Amino acid sequence: MTDLSHHARQLRDLADALDGQSDLTDDPLAPHPDTLKIFKDRHTSRGQINYAVPDALQLQQRIRRYHADQGIQHGDVVALALDVYLRAKGYPPHLKTAKTDAS
């Protein structure tokens, strides 16, 4: 009998990756529900992210304007934007879930 456990593991990994991506909605930039849960938790630990970006994009000024208009903190704007982008490219976070592993 052929051992299909390797294929089953690959299918589980694929299902996990698809589960980590945002559902298709009318707004392609809509944050994933798991990401929104993280932002609602007051006790979420935070880390510094520091990358040099092109000045011509005026990202710092645009983030400050968005914060003034929407009231979303600067770091949250960056985190939401990066999370949506990376999920769309197939790089969801490996979040701990309350689900039990049925394998």
Side-chain angles (χ1 to χ4, degrees), residues 51-67:
Y51 288 97
V53 294
D55 288 332
L57 294 176
Q58 303 171 349
L59 294 173
Q60 291 179 348
Q61 296 89 336
R62 292 162 59 197
I63 290 170
R64 282 194 294 269
R65 265 187 281 151
Y66 188 82
H67 166 68

Side-chain angles (χ1 to χ4, degrees), residues 1-84:
M1 179 174 246
T2 306
D3 181 15
L4 299 176
S5 61
H6 175 70
H7 296 293
R9 191 174 319 111
Q10 285 181 320
L11 286 172
R12 276 195 299 272
D13 291 344
L14 179 60
D16 289 343
L18 289 172
D19 191 37
Q21 294 181 7
S22 296
D23 294 331
L24 295 177
T25 63
D26 290 338
D27 182 6
L29 300 178
H32 191 277
D34 290 343
T35 303
L36 295 176
K37 287 179 195 173
I38 291 170
F39 280 99
K40 289 179 182 177
D41 184 3
R42 294 181 330 139
H43 302 291
T44 297
S45 63
R46 297 198 172 243
Q48 187 70 30
I49 185 169
N50 187 7
Y51 288 97
V53 294
D55 288 332
L57 294 176
Q58 303 171 349
L59 294 173
Q60 291 179 348
Q61 296 89 336
R62 292 162 59 197
I63 290 170
R64 282 194 294 269
R65 265 187 281 151
Y66 188 82
H67 166 68
D69 291 344
Q70 306 297 322
I72 298 175
Q73 295 301 316
H74 301 85
D76 291 353
V77 172
V78 173
L80 285 168
L82 285 173
D83 184 64
V84 168

